[in-house]
């Protein structure tokens, strides 16, 4: 029963994490890390599969193996996130929404700028130590 619950939670984390690739306010990397962990504890076959996906390779593998995210990926994440938040701010003319978007933007800048280390593209590809 425990493995079934872990397996279902893994798929839920993967699905929401995958959506985070396209919806910037959803955290992709933490959810994919969670899905990977849950698959490792519930389904070796699905764990092997998730580790081979492009999404895992782009978002999780550099962070997990090298301890950070390349600057180019960080700029992409911030750029797409700010574009979507900007569109939301224009479409929803409400100060409360603007405040929430501003808080999310500041959190994202702090996360990418201070909390998650920046690594080189070569290091992310595993070409340097």
């Amino acid at each position: 029963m425990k493995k079934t619950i872990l397996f279902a939670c893994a798929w839920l984390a993967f699905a929401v994490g995958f959506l985070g690739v396209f919806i910037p306010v959803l955290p992709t990397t933490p959810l994919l890390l969670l899905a990977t962990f849950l698959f490792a504890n519930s389904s070796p076959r699905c764990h092997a599969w998730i580790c081979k996906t492009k999404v895992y390779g782009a978002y999780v593998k550099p962070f997990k193996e090298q301890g950070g995210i390349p600057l180019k990926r960080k700029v992409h994440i911030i750029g797409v996130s700010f574009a979507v938040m900007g569109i939301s701010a224009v479409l929803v003319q409400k100060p409360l929404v603007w405040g929430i978007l501003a808080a999310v933007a500041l959190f994202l800048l702090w996360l990418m700028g201070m909390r998650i280390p920046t690594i080189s593209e070569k290091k992310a590809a595993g070409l340097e130590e």
Side-chain angles (χ1 to χ4, degrees):
M1 180 69 159
K2 180 181 172 185
K3 284 190 175 194
T4 304
I5 292 170
L6 291 175
F7 186 71
C9 290
W11 275 111
L12 179 63
F14 176 78
V16 176
F18 182 78
L19 286 175
V21 173
F22 307 102
I23 303 171
V25 294
L26 293 176
T28 302
T29 303
L31 288 169
L32 292 179
L33 282 169
L34 176 62
T36 304
F37 171 79
L38 294 171
F39 278 138
N41 290 294
S42 64
S43 171
R45 189 175 120 237
C46 287
H47 181 259
W49 167 79
I50 197 171
C51 290
K52 292 178 184 173
T53 63
K54 286 184 180 182
V55 173
Y56 179 91
Y59 288 91
V60 179
K61 192 174 180 180
F63 182 78
K64 186 177 174 191
E65 292 180 359
Q66 306 299 331
I69 298 174
L71 181 60
K72 185 177 178 181
R73 172 84 49 208
K74 284 183 173 187
V75 169
H76 180 262
I77 290 168
I78 291 171
V80 170
S81 297
F82 278 33
V84 170
M85 286 188 282
I87 292 168
S88 297
V90 169
L91 293 176
V92 182
Q93 298 285 320
K94 301 211 182 272
L96 177 63
V97 172
W98 294 345
I100 292 169
L101 291 172
V104 170
L106 289 173
F107 174 74
L108 182 61
L109 285 173
W110 170 80
L111 186 67
M112 292 296 155
M114 301 221 187
R115 184 71 177 114
I116 298 175
T118 302
I119 60 173
S120 71
E121 292 288 337
K122 287 182 179 180
K123 187 172 184 179
L127 301 175
E128 74 178 44
E129 292 296 318

